[in-house]
Amino acid sequence: MRRGKPLIVALFTTLTFTGAFAAGSGETKDDAVAMVKKAVAFIKEQGPDKAYPVIDDKASQFHDRDLYVVVYQLDGKVLAHGSNQKFIGKDMSDAQDVDGKLYVKERVELAGKQASFWQDYKFVNPVTKKVEPKEMYCEKLDNTAVCAGIYKS
């Protein structure tokens, strides 16, 4: 009986984590960081004119369920958006979340001071269509902030 107990615990743990993943537990912080790093490398390799339309495409490598890339110019203008193309070309520096937080203004200010950072705010999840707490990871690239975020709920 003793020999079987570790096997049962291991099997239970595996099934628990597999079930959580299959239930759509969402992406992780590591996924967001990896997505941003992949986007930064792609922009450097292809140049913005070729890279941004790919980032905008929901069928591209830069969009996975509720994880997508957004690129902001440091004045708040959206240069690429993997979830909502209506934002492209717009100055979003006055955008507020449901708590009144000027999240884009804060984001571009942070990008002006730091090479990379995490930011908390609330935003509509494109999968659930509900406003949810979100953590956005961004890296500064020249005069832009390349970002991707995860929903906490």
Side-chain angles (χ1 to χ4, degrees), residues 17-139:
F17 285 114
T18 304
F21 182 75
S25 60
E27 287 73 17
T28 67
K29 283 184 162 189
D30 289 342
D31 294 329
V33 171
M35 180 81 75
V36 168
K37 290 191 179 302
K38 183 167 61 170
V40 166
F42 188 72
I43 294 165
K44 286 179 178 178
E45 176 187 304
Q46 297 294 316
D49 291 342
K50 289 184 180 178
Y52 292 167
V54 175
I55 290 170
D56 297 337
D57 183 356
K58 289 183 181 182
S60 80
Q61 61 188 335
F62 301 106
H63 194 277
D64 182 14
R65 294 168 284 179
D66 63 4
L67 181 63
Y68 54 89
V69 173
V70 181
V71 181
Y72 295 92
Q73 197 166 278
L74 294 187
D75 64 1
K77 180 179 176 183
V78 178
L79 302 176
H81 201 293
S83 179
N84 192 337
Q85 292 188 358
K86 288 187 244 178
F87 292 137
I88 298 169
K90 293 188 178 177
D91 177 358
M92 299 296 291
S93 55
D94 290 334
Q96 297 181 23
D97 72 1
V98 295
D99 296 328
K101 182 176 190 171
L102 294 166
Y103 64 93
V104 174
K105 182 178 181 192
E106 178 184 81
R107 186 171 302 153
V108 296
E109 287 174 357
L110 288 168
K113 299 173 187 171
Q114 301 175 43
S116 65
F117 58 91
W118 282 95
Q119 178 198 32
D120 292 322
Y121 67 110
K122 293 179 181 167
F123 200 72
V124 176
N125 183 323
V127 174
T128 66
K129 308 294 187 220
K130 295 179 183 175
V131 174
E132 298 177 9
K134 186 170 184 175
E135 289 182 275
M136 185 73 94
Y137 175 74
C138 300
E139 288 188 9

